[in-house]
Amino acid sequence: MAEQIPKTQKAMVFEENGGPIEYRDIPVPKPASDQILVHVLYSGVCHTDLHAWKGDWPLATKKPLVGGHEGAGVVVALGENVTNFKVGDYAGIKWLNASCLGCEFCLKGNESNCAEAVLSGYTHDGSFQQYATANAIHAAKIDKSANLAAVAPILCAGITVYKALKVSEASPGEWVAITGAGGGLGTLAIQYARAMGFRVVAIDSGDAKEKICKDLGAEVFVDFKSSDLSKQIVEATSGGPHAVIHVAVAEVAITLSTEYVRPAGTIVLVGLPGGAYVKSEVFTHVVKTINIKGSYVGNRADTAEALDFFTRGLVKSPYQIVGLSELNDVFKKMAAGEVVGRYVLDTSK
Ligand code: NAD
Ligand code: ZN
């Protein structure tokens, strides 16, 4: 039987960037003709949500805003034109909530580059609420076998790191270094990298992060606070990693990687420290023949593939559950670099 949809719901809302984030009762949205309404049971908390609240980036958020873009739940209503979901299906609210589907970028599977892209938890109210809408074509299909709390982090962190590893062009057996390896994206990146046949150097700081990185399959852990980080990485990988995936929120980490990346290797920028620039000394860049590229979430095919790794048990989310109303505490820990793995919010609390 279809569940009853209430008129109001709980949400975490802010009016101004950097202002208070309040646990409020707000109306349940109605799905437009091309949207599904998802009863979000769990939502991951991504560092992007912290950037959105702080207003770090040169792109304005909607205001007031309900953040969140790793929402996993059950479809409870369908817009009149929706044919690819049924009520009762599991669905995921992801960063790319909608795009035009007709432009050059959408046609080529670069939907995140669409000028009309709608972003959950940024330009469209996201998953820090109990009921959220998403374009049915873009919403993620989640297998009925999934634990909805565990799958939530795949919806941004998983898709993003899987795509970044694909575009790194590393080959099985080659070394991939991951900065920010102990955080939300990093802990998934280690596992996707292993599942794709790569050898992992994890870069982060502290005993808790070292332990989780090694438990998840990193062969080497290097503390980013050590003074000879580049030397340690080059030695451990006999000449430098073939690829570097940056999920650290740190400009300095990016600059440093131009030193230790292997000749002809690739540096993939994923983390988005506000106001940061890539600094690469041109002579070395050319003579080492390195590639530096950006990678921005993933398209619908990347989403399905990343979820398939999860469904097959090849990647697991290292997560802890707290209530939706505790988002402020999660942001404090995240800003201090104290989050190991991912926090997932239970929207019923
Ligand atoms: P997180 O806070 O969970 O993890 C960041 C990790 O980086 C922490 O463990 C921290 O200790 C580590 N770190 C900090 N400084 C470092 C340094 N100098 N060297 C190595 N590690 C360092 O954050 P997250 O949720 O994993 O997100 C990471 C970043 O990725 C954010 O900027 C987020 O906005 C961005 N992001 C980008 C995309 C994309 O599509 N490109 C998608 C999702 C998230
Ligand atoms: Zn995210």
Side-chain angles (χ1 to χ4, degrees), residues 291-310:
N291 293 301
I292 303 181
K293 51 164 90 168
S295 185
Y296 182 30
V297 288
N299 62 24
R300 287 170 291 153
D302 300 317
T303 299
E305 290 164 23
L307 281 163
D308 188 55
F309 277 73
F310 174 86

Side-chain angles (χ1 to χ4, degrees), residues 57-125:
W57 295 339
L59 175 69
T61 62
K62 165 187 177 293
K63 280 181 267 192
L65 180 70
V66 175
H69 57 275
E70 287 184 350
V74 183
V75 177
V76 291
L78 307 171
E80 69 235 39
N81 295 336
V82 173
T83 54
N84 63 331
F85 276 99
K86 325 185 278 310
V87 167
D89 284 350
Y90 280 180
I93 303 282
K94 54 187 188 56
W95 176 249
L96 197 62
N97 189 287
S99 72
C100 83
L101 299 172
C103 71
E104 172 195 336
F105 305 105
C106 286
L107 285 173
K108 290 184 177 168
N110 298 320
E111 302 141 10
S112 50
N113 302 114
C114 174
E116 310 291 319
V118 175
L119 309 174
S120 303
Y122 206 91
T123 62
H124 182 95
D125 283 343

Side-chain angles (χ1 to χ4, degrees), residues 5 28-31 35-39 74-78 131-134:
I5 304 166
V28 169
K30 293 231 173 340
Q35 288 178 329
I36 54 174
L37 179 68
V38 180
H39 180 186
V74 183
V75 177
V76 291
L78 307 171
Y131 292 87
T133 53

